[in-house]
Amino acid sequence: LLDLLDNLRFDSMFAVRRRAEVIERAGALFADNEQDASYIESGLYERDQLADTYVKQLHMLLLHCQTSTVEHARFGYIKLEPPLYENGRIILGAVVMLVPERREDNILHQLTGALSALLVEDKKLLERLRAGDWDGSKACIEAGLGAYYKQFLKKMGGV
């Protein structure tokens, strides 16, 4: 959880014409080099081809995959200015979520699930992401995941 919060990434793209451009930028968001960026991009593209990653109610792409290029879960957001219009749909931005490929870690999947729920439930987070308010976005994510962690500890009998 702390590693995820320490490595949140936010970016903006201007005059995007195709979804592939967004996926390419998403691949580079957490990459240390071009090879890793290409590998992540391939994973994101493959996942997007399996099932459309567009989330209608949020007007965004939810780009996600498992990859060996990260040690811990990663979360980022790419704001599109102006929005991308594709097949009559408006895309205001893209969430990027990565989890390590090397293991099936139920806690990591619960964490990314909590992040997904936070996007739907926390209207302030969505507003701040869309506005490009990266500090405000980070504060919303920290608060939301802090509440999730407290609930998790209660379930485990630790608090």
Side-chain angles (χ1 to χ4, degrees), residues 49-116:
Q49 294 301 302
L50 282 174
D52 189 7
T53 56
Y54 180 72
V55 181
K56 182 179 180 177
Q57 62 269 33
L58 301 178
H59 302 292
M60 70 172 59
L61 300 176
L62 179 56
L63 302 173
H64 59 289
C65 71
Q66 293 182 348
T67 178
S68 62
T69 62
V70 297
E71 295 276 327
H72 302 282
R74 296 287 180 255
F75 179 89
Y77 183 78
I78 301 170
K79 178 183 177 189
L80 304 182
E81 288 190 36
L84 172 63
Y85 293 90
E86 176 186 79
N87 302 323
R89 304 181 300 188
I90 182 172
I91 302 172
L92 301 173
V95 164
V96 182
M97 287 195 292
L98 306 175
V99 293
E101 186 176 67
R102 61 176 165 37
R103 64 178 192 237
E104 283 296 318
D105 190 334
N106 193 34
I107 292 175
L108 284 180
H109 291 290
Q110 289 177 15
L111 182 59
T112 56
L115 277 167
S116 297

Side-chain angles (χ1 to χ4, degrees), residues 13-71:
M13 291 182 73
F14 302 92
V16 175
R17 290 179 277 145
R18 296 181 344 260
R19 181 187 294 221
E21 294 174 59
V22 180
I23 293 173
E24 181 179 349
R25 178 71 65 92
L29 200 59
F30 294 103
D32 292 330
N33 55 56
E34 285 185 34
Q35 182 178 357
D36 286 355
S38 179
Y39 186 76
I40 295 169
E41 179 185 345
S42 293
L44 294 172
Y45 185 75
E46 184 178 313
R47 179 62 186 87
D48 190 57
Q49 294 301 302
L50 282 174
D52 189 7
T53 56
Y54 180 72
V55 181
K56 182 179 180 177
Q57 62 269 33
L58 301 178
H59 302 292
M60 70 172 59
L61 300 176
L62 179 56
L63 302 173
H64 59 289
C65 71
Q66 293 182 348
T67 178
S68 62
T69 62
V70 297
E71 295 276 327

Side-chain angles (χ1 to χ4, degrees), residues 8 10 125 128-129 132-142:
L8 294 172
F10 303 101
L125 172 58
R128 289 176 176 164
L129 288 170
D133 176 3
W134 306 142
D135 290 336
S137 298
K138 184 176 181 178
C140 285
I141 292 168
E142 286 176 353

